[in-house]
Amino acid sequence: MNFSRRDFLQKSTAVATGVPLLMSMDIDYCEAATATPPDLSMGFPENAIRLNWNENTLGPSPLAIKGAIAGLKEGYRYALGSLLAPLLADYHSLDKDWVLMGTGSTELQRLAPATHLNEGGNVVSSLETWAGGLRVAEHMGVDVRRIDLIEEKGFAYDIEGLLNAVDDKTQMFIMVSPNNPTGTSLSYQELKRIADSLPDKVLFVIDEAYADYLPDNWGTGIDLLKAGYKNVLVTRTFSKAHGMAGLRSGYGLGHPDILKRITQFGCGPASTSIVAFGAIQGALNDIGHARQTRSYVERTRKFYQQKCETLNLHSVSGPSPFMMIKTGNRTSEIQQALKNKKILVGNGKSWNVPDYLRVSYGREKENEVFFRTLATLL
Ligand SMILES: Cc1ncc(COP(=O)(O)O)c(C=O)c1O
């Protein structure tokens, strides 16, 4: 770097903040410092239409952004994520000891098997689903039993088949509702049927990353907790309806004994960054934002359904912010052709549905461009 200290001081916005301090410490930071903005493209081309990662393109609530910025200014401090537990407990009408913060809900999904499975046991879950903690279970050498969803019934869960796979060695039963990628959602009666069928020693993990998109009053795993089931762990996240995927803010809800066991390996007080700590408080003060997101997703789903009908394409979706579109044995070819045009979508083979594209709803313009382009590739 051929910057002189004077050049740097003239050009850098850092003059107003840290530079005088660094100068007084006689640190020659100029060799390393650059004025280049950070690259946040994640390796995707400029102006790419990113419909591949189930992100909420409406972004976070303005209050969450405000909270994040306030947190950023305190970035030199550690945050005590556990202080958020009472807020979330209030929000869900649970006791604060029943809440555990994680670096995204993924941390909890992965730690649940890591802390609750032993050699010789087995896990029961579905095949066409987000693998979350299942990879950890597989890595641990545990027998993972994955049951097909029923395609002829619109990818309904095969609850009978799942429960039949449970035996005296089963230690964990994992469901995703609403499911990724099919959108399949379990009713309270179905959840209760599963919970009632499982022996108390089996941990019933319910991944509810997309629960904020369900209609009001839809019974979820949280209602099982309120009904007194002590072997249930529900995971939730701010990544989806709250538009905070990059802030890595999730949490688990369950009996304190389950949560305590998880904290032996992670989800400690330092699992929440202070930026997320501020943002979560803002998001909780603006639940209307997540509701607006839900309305947007409902509208967009209808738009996608109409477009698929016009193009004579079969589609599968639920309340969650994405749709599976059947493109048969041309799926990978079409995905690549879209990618060549800087439109990124998921390939169902990642979730064992290779005949489908999985398309996350984007902004209105992006959705229109996607369908216009898809039409040219069929
Ligand atoms: C079903 C499901 N669970 C969990 C996650 C990840 O959530 P988080 O960002 O909270 O780790 C995803 C991400 O796409 C998901 O689809």
Side-chain angles (χ1 to χ4, degrees):
M1 207 67 46
N2 284 331
F3 256 160
S4 70
R5 180 182 297 238
R6 176 176 295 168
D7 279 347
F8 182 80
L9 289 176
Q10 279 169 352
K11 285 174 186 158
S12 170
T13 51
V15 173
T17 51
V19 170
L21 176 66
L22 291 174
M23 284 178 73
S24 68
M25 291 166 76
D26 204 25
I27 293 172
D28 194 2
Y29 56 87
C30 301
E31 288 304 313
T34 76
T36 316
D39 178 358
L40 302 180
S41 71
M42 304 304 143
F44 295 121
E46 211 184 327
N47 301 325
I49 296 181
R50 290 164 54 175
L51 311 179
N52 52 339
W53 282 357
N54 290 352
E55 294 159 336
N56 177 354
T57 48
L58 301 186
S61 142
L63 290 188
I65 292 173
K66 229 171 155 177
I69 291 170
L72 186 60
K73 289 180 182 158
E74 294 283 305
Y76 62 103
R77 300 275 191 209
Y78 287 110
L80 211 50
S82 52
L83 294 178
L84 295 169
L87 304 184
L88 286 158
D90 243 25
Y91 178 51
H92 292 298
S93 309
L94 288 168
D95 192 274
K96 69 175 170 42
D97 297 340
W98 287 60
V99 183
L100 180 63
M101 301 305 299
T103 309
S105 58
T106 298
E107 188 180 16
L108 287 134
Q109 284 287 329
R110 291 188 179 152
L111 286 176
T115 52
H116 283 79
L117 293 180
N118 300 315
E119 227 175 285
N122 68 61
V123 179
V124 174
S125 191
S126 302
L127 185 65
E128 299 86 352
T129 195
W130 192 76
L134 290 176
R135 296 226 174 83
V136 174
E138 277 162 0
H139 192 66
M140 291 170 76
V142 168
D143 173 19
V144 177
R145 302 174 175 183
R146 300 184 68 171
I147 308 300
D148 269 312
L149 274 73
I150 310 170
E151 183 165 3
E152 314 80 72
K153 293 191 182 166
F155 286 98
Y157 278 121
D158 180 4
I159 297 178
E160 202 66 39
L162 284 156
L163 291 176
N164 283 338
V166 174
D167 62 19
D168 58 354
K169 295 212 171 115
T170 304
Q171 295 175 334
M172 192 171 286
F173 190 97
I174 306 179
M175 296 299 282
V176 182
S177 176
N179 188 37
N180 175 12
T182 61
T184 315
S185 308
L186 290 162
S187 68
Y188 183 68
Q189 285 69 26
E190 289 171 320
L191 288 168
K192 189 170 177 317
R193 180 179 167 207
I194 295 169
D196 286 336
S197 306
L198 294 175
D200 289 348
K201 69 174 180 68
V202 176
L203 180 62
F204 182 14
V205 179
I206 313 171
D207 180 337
E208 296 192 345
Y210 301 100
D212 296 300
Y213 297 95
L214 288 166
D216 289 336
N217 302 322
W218 183 282
T220 66
I222 295 180
D223 297 292
L224 286 181
L225 298 177
K226 289 179 187 168
Y229 291 86
K230 295 194 170 57
N231 58 334
V232 172
L233 173 69
V234 177
T235 60
R236 293 266 180 136
T237 185
F238 285 89
S239 294
K240 306 300 177 181
H242 296 279
M244 290 163 43
L247 291 168
R248 312 306 305 125
S249 313
Y251 54 102
L253 303 164
H255 190 278
D257 288 349
I258 298 172
L259 303 184
K260 224 174 273 163
R261 206 151 149 180
I262 288 175
T263 55
Q264 289 169 350
F265 281 77
C267 290
S271 276
T272 307
S273 79
I274 199 160
V275 177
F277 190 87
I280 289 171
Q281 291 179 59
L284 288 173
N285 283 334
D286 186 12
I287 292 303
H289 180 76
R291 289 182 182 238
Q292 279 170 2
T293 296
R294 185 178 64 179
S295 306
Y296 177 73
V297 162
E298 278 165 14
R299 282 202 311 278
T300 308
R301 181 187 181 193
K302 285 188 191 130
F303 172 80
Y304 268 59
Q305 280 171 331
Q306 281 162 6
K307 288 286 179 190
C308 285
E309 270 169 38
T310 311
L311 294 174
N312 213 12
L313 291 170
H314 177 63
S315 69
V316 177
S317 64
S320 38
F322 46 80
M323 181 171 280
M324 293 202 320
I325 299 177
K326 192 161 191 177
T327 37
N329 57 13
R330 292 192 58 220
T331 298
S332 293
E333 177 202 332
I334 291 176
Q335 183 200 26
Q336 184 58 48
L338 287 164
K339 190 173 172 190
N340 295 344
K341 295 178 185 293
K342 297 207 270 187
I343 301 171
L344 305 158
V345 298
N347 186 321
K349 71 180 178 199
S350 305
W351 306 276
N352 303 298
V353 274
D355 284 350
Y356 291 83
L357 295 171
R358 192 206 61 188
V359 189
S360 319
Y361 305 146
R363 299 190 183 106
E364 280 172 17
K365 272 249 153 56
E366 294 177 323
N367 298 328
E368 279 164 18
V369 173
F370 162 68
F371 275 108
R372 223 179 304 136
T373 312
L374 181 62
T376 65
L377 301 172
L378 297 172

